[in-house]
């Protein structure tokens, strides 16, 4: 993998830091009138998700990280791995629990997910922004409430729990925003 | 061969608003008013406004500065001569001092071939002035007066470089060893730099800009005085403590605003420092810079005892207007110059 000098650092560049692939978020150039220049760089570690600030001597270079995003369709889980397939090449990739993480609750069969690969292995799985899931359990609530005020918890087919309006019932399919875990609407039939 | 039409279209689309100034016209008005205040300040004090060339046949040896250069055909010659855009007007202004100008100031463009950023544009405006007969403490008093007039700031504090490092880094910069400096830098979160750095000045500059500078001068401006002799630049060495130079910097609200000296007037020592820079340049694989012999000749003729300072006028504007980025007070920053 190529090395990148601090003056090539920009948002989106993937670099290696402490043995972990990272995404550059911001790069600020600081230089005293007399003396060495530095770059104050804001970084997100891609495995732990931690955001931190790191200072580099300007002109120093760091190893790039072989990180790429690929869109794959979710197939199934065997309990240990989550299997995804490239719909064009039919090539399959298995992501482990660590890579799937919290997003396991948004995985719907045949949905297109973004799989982040580091050196060819999945390190993160990002579900589509919106998924449709069936409600498996929720209190019947009040029949007359159509305004959707208040709301109630509902458990979805994947185990995810979201707040839904009172009028939505068990067995219905709803649309959820996976970025904040919020109910959007009933699914269009 | 012309580029594909798609590319041309994309470029023109992306740059369609680049003709517009980045700073608002209102900011430019305030900038002009600030210039007027500064000129009046010096006129009232009888300091002479001067202009010196922006292009020069020689540049600076400073290891951390890169000058822009261009080629010029002198009349009657078909030989190309390299000319440099000044990184500061220091040498030319000192030649005037040597020629008996008395106290002088200048507001001019300076150029440094480096990245741009929140506080940096490769082309920027410096306010530089020299006071004959002053030492650096007398000059700091005058800077304080100027800041109070332009920024309405409270009187500035003075802290020594040594005190500041002991207070904020728990480290004595004048006595610590390189290994102590590396250890402390690592503890403060800079292991990636400290582990491979053998030059104590680089680590001191790191801690100064990343630790000290963030803590001092938040409420009122501060003058950091007594930089280590190894970072004297063009300042004289303190008569009472050879570890320390008569160099200072002014900081306010996290901004490095000015750098000044009780000026070195001794030509031999000045030449020695230039040579030292070039030795360091060579070891770093950087080009050696020709020493400006007009400046050296002027020093040999004799420079009056004086103190001088360079103050970033753009940064003064940023502070006066409360701007977060230098582009907010610059009509056309480098991106759309």
């Amino acid at each position: 993998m190529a090395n990148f000098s601090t003056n090539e650092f920009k948002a989106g560049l993937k670099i290696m830091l402490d043995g972990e692939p990272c995404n550059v978020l911001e790069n600020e150039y600081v230089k005293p009138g007399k003396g060495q220049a530095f770059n104050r760089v804001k970084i997100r570690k891609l495995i732990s998700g931690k955001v931190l600030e790191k200072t580099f001597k300007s002109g120093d270079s760091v190893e790039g990280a072989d990180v790429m995003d690929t869109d794959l369709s979710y197939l199934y889980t065997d309990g240990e791995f989550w299997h995804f397939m490239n719909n064009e090449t039919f090539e399959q990739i298995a992501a482990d629990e660590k890579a799937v993480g919290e997003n396991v609750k948004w995985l719907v069969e045949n949905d297109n997910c973004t799989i982040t690969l580091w050196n060819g292995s999945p390190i993160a799985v990002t579900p589509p922004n919106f998924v449709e899931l069936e409600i498996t359990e929720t209190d019947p609530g009040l029949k007359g409430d159509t305004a959707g005020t208040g709301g109630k918890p509902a458990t979805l087919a994947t185990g995810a729990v979201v707040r839904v309006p009172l009028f939505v019932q068990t067995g219905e399919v709803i649309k959820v925003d996976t970025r904040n875990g919020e109910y959007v609407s009933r699914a269009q039939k | 061969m012309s580029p594909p039409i798609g590319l041309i279209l994309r470029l023109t689309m992306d740059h369609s608003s680049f003709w517009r100034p980045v700073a608002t016209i209102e900011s430019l008005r305030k900038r002009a008013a600030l210039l007027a205040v500064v000129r009046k300040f010096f006129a009232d004090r009888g300091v002479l406004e001067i202009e010196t060339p922006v292009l020069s046949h020689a540049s600076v040896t400073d290891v951390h500065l890169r000058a822009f250069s261009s080629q010029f055909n002198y009349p009657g010659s078909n030989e190309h001569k390299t000319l440099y855009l000044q990184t500061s007007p220091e040498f030319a202004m000192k030649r005037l001092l040597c020629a008996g100008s008395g106290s002088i100031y200048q507001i001019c463009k300076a150029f440094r071939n480096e990245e741009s950023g929140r506080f940096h544009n490769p082309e920027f405006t410096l306010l530089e002035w020299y006071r004959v007969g002053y030492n650096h403490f007398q000059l700091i008093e005058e800077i304080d007066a100027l800041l109070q007039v332009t920024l309405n700031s409270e009187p500035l504090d003075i802290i020594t470089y040594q005190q500041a490092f002991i207070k904020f880094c728990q480290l004595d910069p004048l006595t610590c060893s390189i290994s102590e400096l590396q250890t402390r830098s690592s503890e403060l979160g800079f292991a990636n730099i400290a582990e491979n750095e053998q030059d104590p000045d680089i680590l001191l500059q790191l801690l100064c800009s990343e630790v000290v500078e963030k803590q001092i001068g938040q409420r009122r401006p501060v003058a950091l005085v007594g930089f280590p002799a190894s970072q004297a630049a063009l300042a004289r060495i303190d008569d009472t403590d050879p570890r320390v130079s008569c160099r200072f910097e002014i900081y306010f609200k996290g901004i490095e605003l000015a750098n000044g000296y009780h000026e070195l007037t001794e030509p031999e020592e000045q030449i020695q420092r230039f040579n030292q820079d070039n030795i360091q340049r060579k070891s770093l694989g950087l080009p050696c810079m020709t020493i400006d012999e007009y400046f050296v000749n002027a020093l040999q003729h004799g420079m009056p005892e004086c103190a001088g300072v360079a103050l970033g006028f753009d940064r003064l504007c940023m502070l006066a207007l409360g701007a977060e980025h230098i582009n907010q007070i610059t009509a056309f920053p480098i991106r759309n110059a």
Side-chain angles (χ1 to χ4, degrees), chain B residues 16 28 33 68 78 141 239 255:
Chain B
S16 62
L28 297 180
F68 288 97
N78 55 9
E141 263 179 48
D239 291 333
I255 295 182

Side-chain angles (χ1 to χ4, degrees), chain B residues 275-310:
Chain B
N275 289 335
Q276 202 55 46
D277 281 348
N278 271 332
I279 290 168
Q280 204 189 342
R281 280 183 162 267
K282 209 169 174 185
S283 73
L284 293 169
L286 296 169
C288 285
M289 297 302 291
T290 311
I291 292 172
D292 187 335
E293 76 273 19
Y294 298 156
F295 172 54
V296 170
N297 290 345
L299 284 181
Q300 284 161 343
H301 172 81
M303 187 159 94
E305 297 287 312
C306 63
V309 63

Side-chain angles (χ1 to χ4, degrees), chain A residues 6-7 17 27-40 53-60, chain B residues 62 64-65 112 114-116 118 120 190 192-193 197 202 205-206 209-210 214 233 247 256 259 261:
Chain A
T6 53
N7 55 26
L17 198 71
N27 178 16
E28 189 182 349
Y29 178 71
V30 279
K31 184 183 184 304
K34 300 280 169 199
Q36 176 67 44
F38 299 98
N39 289 68
R40 224 175 266 158
E53 242 189 32
K54 200 94 192 165
T55 303
F56 294 88
K57 200 170 138 181
S58 291
D60 271 1
Chain B
D62 188 320
H64 301 293
L65 289 182
R112 295 180 186 179
E114 56 196 32
E115 296 170 58
S116 56
R118 244 181 99 194
H120 298 270
F190 308 106
N192 60 319
I193 298 176
E197 191 56 68
I202 302 266
Q205 284 155 5
L206 170 72
S209 86
E210 294 299 276
K214 287 179 174 175
R247 176 183 157 209
E256 180 201 5
N259 174 62
Y261 317 124

Side-chain angles (χ1 to χ4, degrees), chain A residues 35-184:
Chain A
Q36 176 67 44
F38 299 98
N39 289 68
R40 224 175 266 158
V41 186
K42 207 183 217 183
I43 286 166
R44 173 179 285 118
K45 292 195 163 184
L46 287 173
I47 295 176
S48 65
K50 260 190 241 159
V51 174
L52 59 130
E53 242 189 32
K54 200 94 192 165
T55 303
F56 294 88
K57 200 170 138 181
S58 291
D60 271 1
S61 50
V62 295
E63 197 191 337
D66 180 9
V67 171
M68 58 173 281
D69 287 340
T70 175
D71 284 338
L72 300 174
S73 160
Y74 173 58
L75 296 177
Y76 65 96
T77 177
D78 56 22
E80 190 181 356
F81 290 100
W82 284 257
H83 298 269
F84 297 84
M85 185 176 70
N86 181 323
N87 281 335
E88 279 160 30
T89 64
F90 305 111
E91 198 186 328
Q92 290 192 20
I93 281 180
D96 63 10
E97 200 180 343
K98 221 172 126 195
V100 175
E102 294 263 289
N103 285 326
V104 65
K105 62 177 184 250
W106 304 124
L107 294 183
V108 177
E109 279 173 31
N110 298 322
D111 269 3
N112 267 325
C113 298
T114 303
I115 315 297
T116 305
L117 300 172
W118 174 38
N119 295 331
S121 304
I123 52 167
V125 172
T126 312
N129 291 343
F130 301 100
V131 294
E132 293 187 352
L133 284 163
E134 188 188 331
I135 296 176
T136 53
E137 195 191 336
T138 188
D139 281 344
L142 298 165
K143 271 256 156 65
D145 184 293
T146 51
T149 52
K152 60 181 179 180
T155 306
L156 309 180
T158 54
V161 177
V162 297
R163 282 201 83 75
V164 298
L166 298 179
F167 59 80
V168 179
Q169 302 304 337
T170 302
E172 285 191 82
V173 177
I174 60 164
K175 187 173 171 185
V176 181
D177 188 330
T178 60
R179 292 163 296 186
N180 53 20
E182 281 175 13
Y183 167 91
V184 178

Side-chain angles (χ1 to χ4, degrees), chain B residues 22-74:
Chain B
V22 175
T24 61
I25 303 299
E26 182 54 27
S27 300
L28 297 180
R29 272 187 224 285
K30 289 180 180 162
R31 185 179 173 120
L34 194 62
L35 272 174
V37 171
V38 169
R39 287 207 158 92
K40 179 166 188 308
F41 179 87
F42 287 108
D44 288 347
R45 289 165 178 252
V47 181
L48 179 69
E49 177 165 15
I50 52 100
E51 290 181 282
T52 55
V54 164
L55 276 173
S56 167
H57 80 291
S59 185
V60 290
T61 54
D62 188 320
V63 173
H64 301 293
L65 289 182
R66 265 174 70 204
F68 288 97
S69 62
S70 190
Q71 304 295 316
F72 179 63
N73 273 15
Y74 281 92

